[in-house]
Amino acid sequence: MPTPTSLAPTITLSNGVEMPQLGLGTWPMDDAEAARVVAQAIGMGYRLIDTAENYGNERGVGEGLRASGVPREQVFITTKFNKQWHSVEGAQQACDASLLRLGLDHVDLLLVHWPNPDQDRYVEAFEGLVRLLEAGKVRAIGTSNFKPTHLQRLFDLGLVPHVNQIHLDPYHGRHDVVQVHCERGIVTEAWSPLGRAGAMLQEPAILAAAERHGRTAGQVVLRWHTQQGYVPIPKSSDPVRLAQNLDVFGFTLSDGEMAALSALDRVDPAMLDSDVFGH
């Protein structure tokens, strides 16, 4: 089995917590697959594992963590909760339920999974996260799929997430959201960082950079993420790709290569809109 050259470096959140700069996404794994892949990934050097209530695999993630044999404090576990828990008390109930499924006494990062602005309770949900942080049940708190307008509602009350996890890749640069993150000290975490259809990895700019560096197209895209300070969480169950995805810190893309990948940004009418989609 390929061995990664090193563990991912860490990035410091605004509250001082250290978060690995690359992790494993687990959607759409079921419990059995999550248990197997998480244990394998941790054994290969992954130290950030991302799950969610809605993925239905938190039990498997917890099993994989325990099976890995790596001490709990060395692995950064993220989970997220659904819209039915969007209240101060609901966030605490959601956290307790996730901890029970994971078999843990705390999570490292807890996120509001979608803003669901139609029910207009995501501010209360985040206030619940603040209480969980104060109680020590979570080490960091954040949001997922929040647009600048959603974040502004939090800012108006003096609330600032440590992380906002969004759909981001060279086709979806999300510059408006990233700019707000930079201004407020919010870490940008990227789900689906390698694209979903596979067409992006065939782009000439990506393939050319891959050839120059002797890397795969996926490794080039993940390096594009990490060089900008993003935290990508690619999903894979394949041992070879798991190793490749983690092994992206031993080379550096040039300014020209970074610009060429960023120039792939485009409008995507099919992209999920968090003003209308959510769970």
Side-chain angles (χ1 to χ4, degrees):
M1 181 186 301
T3 302
T5 56
S6 65
L7 302 181
T10 60
I11 191 166
T12 305
L13 306 183
S14 61
N15 66 341
V17 168
E18 296 288 324
M19 177 181 183
Q21 208 195 342
L22 188 145
L24 174 70
T26 63
W27 184 85
M29 300 179 192
D30 61 16
D31 278 329
E33 184 181 13
R36 175 179 59 81
V37 176
V38 166
Q40 185 175 51
I42 293 174
M44 298 171 76
Y46 282 80
R47 292 296 180 266
L48 166 61
I49 309 296
D50 181 270
T51 182
E53 171 192 359
N54 208 65
Y55 299 171
N57 63 18
E58 288 174 309
R59 288 184 177 85
V61 168
E63 290 173 17
L65 171 60
R66 289 183 289 278
S68 74
V70 172
R72 164 68 183 97
E73 62 272 15
Q74 293 183 20
V75 182
F76 193 101
I77 302 293
T78 302
T79 193
K80 321 172 194 75
F81 60 87
N82 290 347
K83 64 181 180 181
Q84 73 187 88
W85 309 109
H86 279 202
S87 66
V88 173
E89 290 297 325
Q92 296 175 69
Q93 292 172 328
C95 181
D96 287 342
S98 283
L99 291 175
L100 185 63
R101 290 187 291 266
L102 287 161
L104 302 176
D105 61 4
H106 73 280
V107 290
D108 298 281
L109 176 64
L110 184 59
L111 307 177
V112 182
H113 203 158
W114 290 87
N116 297 286
D118 57 317
Q119 72 175 17
D120 195 25
R121 299 210 316 261
Y122 62 83
V123 173
E124 296 172 58
F126 194 84
E127 289 172 337
L129 288 181
V130 172
R131 294 196 186 182
L132 288 163
L133 185 67
E134 293 168 347
K137 287 190 174 182
V138 299
R139 298 177 63 228
I141 56 178
T143 51
S144 182
N145 303 300
F146 275 45
K147 295 181 179 181
T149 51
H150 308 138
L151 292 169
Q152 189 60 51
R153 290 276 305 281
L154 301 179
F155 301 155
D156 290 345
L157 295 175
L159 304 171
V160 182
H162 300 127
V163 174
N164 187 29
Q165 184 185 116
I166 58 174
H167 183 191
L168 191 153
D169 59 38
Y171 274 180
H172 307 87
R174 309 300 301 278
H175 304 295
D176 57 337
V177 191
V178 171
Q179 181 178 348
V180 173
H181 292 176
C182 292
E183 292 169 354
R184 296 284 183 159
I186 299 169
V187 167
T188 301
E189 189 172 21
W191 63 261
S192 197
L194 296 175
R196 287 182 146 177
M200 185 182 71
L201 297 182
Q202 300 302 314
E203 286 286 345
I206 294 174
L207 293 175
E211 184 174 358
R212 280 192 292 270
H213 292 277
R215 298 284 182 152
T216 68
Q219 287 176 312
V220 166
V221 172
L222 292 173
R223 191 66 183 122
W224 173 85
H225 282 278
T226 58
Q227 277 186 220
Q228 296 181 85
Y230 304 158
V231 179
I233 45 170
K235 178 266 177 184
S236 180
S237 300
D238 178 79
V240 173
R241 285 196 295 273
L242 281 169
Q244 291 172 342
N245 289 347
L246 185 59
D247 185 17
V248 298
F249 298 97
F251 70 104
T252 301
L253 297 176
S254 69
D255 291 346
E257 289 167 335
M258 290 291 290
L261 264 68
S262 296
L264 297 174
D265 187 30
R266 62 198 60 197
V267 175
D268 178 7
M271 186 177 179
L272 293 177
D273 182 352
S274 59
D275 278 325
V276 294
F277 179 87
H279 45 63

